[in-house]
Amino acid sequence: DGGPWARPRGEAERVRPQGPLTTMGAEITWVAPQRAGGEPELEWVAKRDAQTASICKALVVGWEAGAETSVKVITGGITNALFMVTNHDLLNKVPAVSEGGPRPVVLLRVYGDNTDLLIDRKKELSVLRQLNTHGFGAQVLATFSNGRIEEYLDGYSTMDYTLCVQPLHATRIARLAARFHGVRVESRSE
């Protein structure tokens, strides 16, 4: 079992697109590599990470095919497999992201098997993109058949109760919640 991101045997393997790339990679599918009997775990992890990085290199604007990358599994996802992918060639490159340059660190999200039975992924994507236009959530950078690539929000952490009830934070939370609930979002499939 390849975990929550494994694809059933017999499904199509990932296919790299030919020609100019767009932010939609409908023909790209993340498929958990099958672990051969006796194959060392490090070799399996290397295959998984290579596939994860190759999807980012194919779809993220400014990422070169030969870029040096690293992949870290993000734990805590309930229905998705999450990977932080770093493009080391872009880490100290100018222009920086704030100046419109490519993002050196992204989050690759692979949807769990059969979660589309519970979650309408087209509507989810539509809502996320609408919220992005109002400054909410991690920006969706690209999509592929069974997942998406998002901006990695580095330096953020969840707030515990003791921080949330402090007057300064409580006021900011209330203002942000009011702004969020004031956003008109159409529930449509893209």
Side-chain angles (χ1 to χ4, degrees), residues 168-182:
L168 173 66
H169 295 303
T171 301
R172 292 175 77 193
I173 291 167
R175 284 189 185 126
L176 191 57
R179 194 175 125 231
F180 179 82
H181 288 287

Side-chain angles (χ1 to χ4, degrees), residues 48 149 163:
R48 180 202 64 202
I149 301 171
L163 284 174

Side-chain angles (χ1 to χ4, degrees), residues 125-161:
L125 183 60
S126 172
V127 168
L128 286 172
R129 286 193 166 146
Q130 290 174 70
L131 290 172
N132 283 173
T133 64
H134 293 279
F136 290 104
Q139 184 180 1
V140 176
L141 303 174
T143 62
F144 51 99
S145 68
N146 62 336
R148 65 179 179 258
I149 301 171
E150 304 167 8
E151 129 185 72
Y152 181 76
L153 301 175
D154 195 19
Y156 291 84
S157 61
T158 56
M159 296 177 71
D160 65 10
Y161 173 78

Side-chain angles (χ1 to χ4, degrees), residues 77-96:
I78 297 171
T79 61
N80 300 310
L82 305 171
F83 303 93
M84 179 179 78
V85 185
T86 302
N87 182 328
H88 296 282
D89 294 354
L90 294 176
L91 275 179
N92 297 312
K93 203 169 191 179
V94 176

